[in-house]
Amino acid sequence: MSRQARTSAESCDVVIVGGGAAGLSLAHRLTAPTSPTVTLVEAPDGPLRPPERTWCYWADDTSDLDEAVSASWARLRVHGTDGRAVTVDPAPLTYRMLRSTDFERLVRSRLDACGVRVLRATADTVRDTADGAEVHCTSADGTTLSLRARQVFDSRPRRTLPPARTRLLQHFRGWYVHTGTDRFDPEVADLMDFRVPQPRHGLAFGYVLPLSPDRALVEYTEFSRTPLTTEAYEAALVRYCRDTLRLDGYTVDSAEQGVIPMTDAHFARRAGPAVHRIGTAGGATRPATGYTFAAVQRQSRAIASALLAGRMAAPPPHGRRALAMDAVLLRALDTGRINGPDFFTDLFRRVPPERLLRFLDGDTSLWEEWSIGLRTPVGPMLRTAVELPFLPRRSPSAPSAGESRR
């Protein structure tokens, strides 16, 4: 019998395509006894499976994902280009870090316990049908399968980003370092350290998450239009560890590298009447910060609630006001009207920390956003806001970025 002949068809209520943060999170939210039947399609081992990643977010209470949290910090620090540091305590919020392998292990164990089917296969095509949608898959041994469902939620990265007025990238490389001696304060996370050489366009900063007194994730990050080579990231990390952090005798246990889209493009949440995009593909990445994980959790809970109520909806991961403000900030950064390092440093110096983090997460009132806006360079921001509606949206010439690590 040929491989082509070994094709079968199955049906369920919901098919989720992709086993990353978005796909697993939605499957996790659909494990209640009254949830619809779910099949999660995730790529088999190979080039389509992403490498291990780190996701970070802030939260103010316990959650059912705390078991997978590998570290958390109650205090945050930002270093300005002048070397001065501002340390804040955003209580009741804490900054939390998950490794993708820990998150995946936790969620998969719960999916197994609840009988959610996980299919290791490559999703070849996703298309609408008269009564829902169909996902055509191929397993590692060549067997093909057609999955029919009332709704499909697709988390695979887009081939290209939608047209946009501003398009930047947050690109980075990080080292998990071991110093052998106590060099880090495990109580404080360095979100942005601008004591690094700044590029001619955009901005650059260090990012340090201490895991113990002698271990930390140390990253070099840029907001700019084009990623660097691995060699350039490595050189920047060497300089940062040597000249800024004054580390010596350290070893690099592992590394991670990524690219996160920062764009004011409109991400359509539907690819068809019964096909929805989720995660980065559905616009979950916050344009001005690159953070994604918290928005994915909000969207997953909202989708699960809608499905339980019999509605066909994939709610937006970010509100309109938040996206409008991000569009202004991205354009102001891209044009050089505002100095990026000074802008972010001043926000942490002048805005109450808990309010600032809620603002970055899209959870502030109009009054709070107005008060934060008055603490930014008002003239350049107003000029940019007036200019934006008249700028055309243009299609990108480069492939889209993959899944965010934040």
Side-chain angles (χ1 to χ4, degrees):
M1 181 181 293
S2 68
R3 287 185 174 183
Q4 185 64 33
R6 292 189 289 126
T7 303
S8 58
E10 297 180 6
S11 297
C12 58
D13 295 322
V14 171
V15 170
I16 301 170
V17 180
L24 284 172
S25 296
L26 180 55
H28 181 230
R29 301 302 170 190
L30 292 173
T31 55
T34 55
S35 295
T37 56
V38 176
T39 296
L40 172 66
V41 180
E42 63 175 5
D45 293 337
L48 294 181
R49 291 187 65 80
E52 186 175 14
R53 292 143 352 265
T54 300
W55 296 316
C56 292
Y57 65 104
W58 39 81
D60 61 359
D61 55 12
T62 59
S63 78
D64 54 1
L65 297 178
D66 284 352
E67 187 179 332
V69 172
S70 55
S72 64
W73 300 268
R75 290 186 292 156
L76 306 175
R77 184 165 55 204
V78 173
H79 294 268
T81 55
D82 58 5
R84 290 191 300 143
V86 52
T87 303
V88 300
D89 180 353
L93 298 175
T94 59
Y95 195 58
R96 304 177 186 184
M97 167 184 166
L98 296 94
R99 295 286 279 163
S100 60
T101 49
D102 296 331
F103 171 77
E104 291 163 4
R105 188 181 303 112
L106 174 65
V107 173
R108 287 195 181 105
S109 68
R110 293 176 178 176
L111 297 183
D112 290 342
C114 295
V116 173
R117 186 186 181 199
V118 178
L119 176 65
R120 298 295 294 273
T122 301
D124 301 312
T125 59
V126 179
R127 67 180 186 89
D128 283 292
T129 62
D131 56 352
E134 181 180 58
V135 180
H136 190 268
C137 309
T138 304
S139 65
D141 65 1
T143 303
T144 57
L145 175 66
S146 292
L147 298 173
R148 287 181 165 269
R150 290 190 294 110
Q151 296 190 70
V152 172
F153 295 88
D154 192 350
S155 67
R156 295 173 300 171
R158 294 169 178 253
R159 295 181 181 273
T160 58
L161 294 172
R165 295 166 296 202
T166 307
R167 190 178 298 105
L168 295 175
L169 298 174
Q170 180 179 157
H171 50 98
F172 61 90
R173 184 170 175 84
W175 286 345
Y176 280 87
V177 302
H178 180 203
T179 58
T181 59
D182 294 352
R183 299 301 305 274
F184 303 107
D185 182 353
E187 302 298 321
V188 183
D190 286 299
L191 284 189
M192 289 181 162
D193 186 346
F194 293 111
R195 298 175 297 170
V196 298
Q198 295 298 312
R200 296 186 62 182
H201 182 270
L203 59 91
F205 58 90
Y207 177 70
V208 182
L209 300 183
L211 306 177
S212 69
D214 62 347
R215 294 180 185 270
L217 170 61
V218 179
E219 287 188 359
Y220 174 80
T221 302
E222 285 193 12
F223 293 1
S224 61
R225 296 173 182 169
T226 308
L228 305 180
T229 63
T230 298
E231 293 73 19
Y233 291 121
E234 292 279 304
L237 279 166
V238 168
R239 288 194 301 269
Y240 181 55
C241 289
R242 180 192 63 206
D243 302 338
T244 305
L245 300 182
R246 304 288 184 180
L247 302 181
D248 51 15
Y250 62 87
T251 58
V252 178
D253 295 332
S254 61
E256 63 180 34
Q257 187 168 315
V259 179
I260 303 170
M262 304 179 72
T263 170
D264 65 353
H266 291 312
F267 287 82
R269 300 189 306 280
R270 279 196 173 184
V275 179
H276 311 269
R277 293 190 179 98
I278 58 174
T280 297
T285 298
R286 183 73 191 263
T289 66
Y291 284 97
T292 305
F293 191 82
V296 161
Q297 301 313 307
R298 288 196 303 270
Q299 188 180 53
S300 297
R301 287 190 290 265
I303 291 173
S305 296
L307 290 174
L308 290 174
R311 301 192 303 272
M312 295 181 65
H318 301 291
R320 291 183 179 180
R321 286 204 316 269
L323 294 178
M325 290 184 291
D326 282 3
V328 174
L329 175 57
L330 288 177
R331 176 68 180 174
L333 286 172
D334 193 37
T335 58
R337 288 180 187 145
I338 63 172
N339 179 289
D342 291 347
F343 177 87
F344 286 107
T345 303
D346 286 345
L347 281 181
F348 276 89
R349 284 176 176 158
R350 303 178 64 188
V351 178
E354 186 264 351
R355 180 185 302 173
L356 177 58
L357 294 189
R358 286 193 296 104
F359 170 73
L360 295 177
D361 213 23
D363 188 30
T364 44
S365 66
L366 181 61
W367 178 86
E368 289 174 317
E369 291 160 5
W370 177 260
S371 69
I372 292 171
L374 293 176
R375 291 171 169 82
T376 66
V378 175
M381 299 293 275
L382 283 177
R383 177 186 172 189
T384 304
V386 171
E387 172 191 70
L388 271 180
F390 302 98
L391 297 176
R393 295 182 182 272
R394 303 184 185 278
S395 297
S397 56
S400 71
E403 183 175 316
S404 165
R405 67 108 164 91
R406 287 182 178 167

